[in-house]
Amino acid sequence: MVVSCARRAAHPCCLQKRFSFLCCFKISLMAAVLLIPKPSDACDPPPRFEFMKPNATKSSYNPGDVVYFVCRPGYKPVVPPRPMSSVCQANNMWTPLQEACTAKQCQHPGEPVNGQLVAVNGSFAFGSQIHYSCNEGYRLVGQRILYCEISTADERKVTWSDDPPLCIRIMCPPPGKIPNGKYTGSEKDEFEYNEVVIYSCNPSNGPDEYSLVGESNLICTGNGVWSSNPPECKVVKCPFPNPENGRLLSGFRKKYYYKATVTFECNPGYYHEGENTAVCGSNSTWEPAKPTCLKEPESPHTTMPPSSTTTPPGPRPNPGDDTNDDGPKTLGGGIIAVIVVSVLAVVVVVGGFLCYRHKKKGEREPGAEYHAYQVKSTMPADH
């Protein structure tokens, strides 16, 4: 029996066993080649610019497509005008295109009265800002910084973010009134910058006068407030400064009112602590303290009289020292007498010794015995 193979559609790799591997390799290679991407015939998205953008966009651009650009909000075409379109070419590149828009300008707001404005970047272009300041003595009312931005009423225009501020003159309200006193210009309702008011006290109806305690001159400052609080008018009277164990040197008067000043010193044997000056303070007390003299402590190692200085006692000098702060000490009378007696004794001893030597010398001279015999022989017998 003969077996024949029927005709049917078979996989190419099954035609012949010996060619099956080669057949499968060729088919896979052809499929891979067909899957390799071919160069696109479309352009990339159109170029981007800072001041302009495409009027319309789409997902792909073929050669010959044209893209038209418009200025972004806040910008306008330059003068002279430049091209604002680009074409997708056959080489898939866009035709060259330059920036063709520039920033719009806000109107000059005008110089403020009694003030100045400064453009930060030197222009009033969209996105810039200006700063305001006022002259001395004037206050800024409104926004200090304005920005050039897109108008909310019309997006095609640019305008400033707020109205220009104003510079108004600084004024102070009347300063406070005080009992028993007054100030200059009290009839005015307001005072200008740097204006000065002067306070003074009314005459007193009692035996003691009023003292002005605090600043007498107040100045209207740049913040619209006075330089200090109003002063007071009141009786300030300190007790008579009669320091015990001391005396006044200056500041003599019958009554001691506010800021009266005295100086004093202490009697010998007393001292004071701190300064020897006292001032009558606003609380009717002496400042820093009432004049007081304290007794110096006695030292058992010295007989020197107590110091009459007005400073606290310090270390006493040693009695055996020969010098002090003022120079050599003066010798006492007892020491001088001892020295004189010693000198006289020395003179007497030396004189006696010289007489004795002279007498001995005369007895030893030649002829002295013969002369004595002659004198003796010539004397009468009854001698």
Side-chain angles (χ1 to χ4, degrees):
M1 182 176 63
V2 178
V3 180
S4 61
C5 187
R7 292 179 178 272
R8 59 194 179 112
H11 194 281
C13 294
C14 297
L15 295 177
Q16 293 182 1
K17 185 177 181 180
R18 61 177 181 175
F19 296 112
S20 61
F21 175 76
L22 182 60
C23 178
C24 290
F25 176 76
K26 289 181 178 179
I27 292 174
S28 300
L29 183 61
M30 291 177 64
V33 171
L34 292 175
L35 294 176
I36 295 176
K38 296 181 179 179
S40 175
D41 292 334
C43 288
D44 293 332
R48 293 182 59 85
F49 295 92
E50 182 178 4
F51 303 145
M52 61 185 185
K53 63 180 181 178
N55 188 26
T57 58
K58 58 182 182 177
S59 59
S60 63
Y61 296 88
N62 298 319
D65 289 345
V66 180
V67 174
Y68 294 93
F69 289 82
V70 294
C71 293
R72 297 180 185 274
Y75 297 89
K76 62 181 180 179
V78 297
V79 178
R82 296 176 185 173
M84 298 186 66
S85 63
S86 183
V87 180
C88 178
Q89 303 177 93
N91 60 355
N92 301 328
M93 301 292 291
W94 294 97
T95 56
L97 186 65
Q98 294 181 346
E99 186 76 72
C101 295
T102 186
K104 294 181 180 179
Q105 297 284 325
C106 283
Q107 291 184 353
H108 194 298
E111 291 288 337
V113 180
N114 300 313
Q116 304 86 28
L117 69 82
V118 176
V120 175
N121 57 0
S123 72
F124 302 127
F126 171 68
S128 62
Q129 55 180 284
I130 54 177
H131 293 187
Y132 283 86
S133 62
C134 293
N135 298 337
E136 183 180 4
Y138 291 85
R139 177 191 302 162
L140 188 75
V141 178
Q143 295 296 325
R144 185 176 298 273
I145 301 176
L146 300 184
Y147 303 89
C148 182
E149 58 186 19
I150 297 174
S151 172
T152 56
D154 187 354
E155 293 185 352
R156 296 172 300 177
K157 298 180 180 180
V158 293
T159 185
W160 294 107
S161 56
D162 208 329
D163 294 330
L166 300 176
C167 290
I168 62 174
R169 188 159 184 82
I170 295 174
M171 305 296 289
C172 288
K177 295 182 179 181
I178 60 173
N180 307 315
K182 59 184 182 295
Y183 61 86
T184 57
S186 57
E187 71 283 355
K188 301 173 64 175
D189 294 332
E190 57 182 3
F191 297 80
E192 296 183 353
Y193 170 73
N194 265 349
E195 191 169 356
V196 180
V197 297
I198 303 174
Y199 280 85
S200 60
C201 293
N202 299 330
S204 173
N205 296 325
D208 298 313
E209 62 185 41
Y210 292 120
S211 295
L212 188 72
V213 180
E215 293 293 334
S216 60
N217 293 5
L218 271 63
I219 305 173
C220 179
T221 67
N223 297 323
V225 296
W226 293 98
S227 55
S228 63
N229 294 326
E232 297 180 81
C233 284
K234 63 179 184 178
V235 175
V236 177
K237 184 179 179 182
C238 288
F240 191 84
N242 186 18
E244 186 177 358
N245 301 312
R247 65 187 184 89
L248 294 182
L249 294 177
S250 64
F252 301 96
R253 60 186 66 187
K254 294 181 179 180
K255 296 180 181 181
Y256 292 87
Y257 294 121
Y258 181 54
K259 289 188 177 181
T261 303
V262 296
T263 57
F264 66 98
E265 69 174 358
C266 294
N267 296 334
Y270 295 86
Y271 71 96
H272 64 85
E273 294 181 337
E275 298 292 331
N276 67 332
T277 301
V279 180
C280 183
S282 59
N283 295 325
S284 298
T285 57
W286 290 103
E287 297 175 359
K290 178 182 178 180
T292 303
C293 291
L294 305 176
K295 187 172 180 59
E296 294 181 351
E298 296 182 358
S299 175
H301 302 292
T302 180
T303 57
M304 294 181 65
S307 172
S308 60
T309 61
T310 58
T311 56
R316 298 293 187 179
N318 191 332
D321 293 341
D322 292 336
T323 60
N324 56 20
D325 294 339
D326 299 329
K329 293 182 178 179
T330 304
L331 297 176
I335 296 176
I336 296 176
V338 170
I339 294 175
V340 173
V341 172
S342 299
V343 172
L344 292 177
V346 171
V347 171
V348 171
V349 172
V350 173
F353 178 74
L354 293 176
C355 291
Y356 175 77
R357 290 290 302 275
H358 181 72
K359 181 178 180 181
K360 287 292 185 178
K361 183 178 180 182
E363 291 178 354
R364 290 195 299 267
E365 289 181 357
E369 295 182 355
Y370 176 75
H371 177 71
Y373 173 77
Q374 284 186 337
V375 171
K376 185 179 179 180
S377 58
T378 53
M379 292 179 63
D382 55 353
H383 291 277

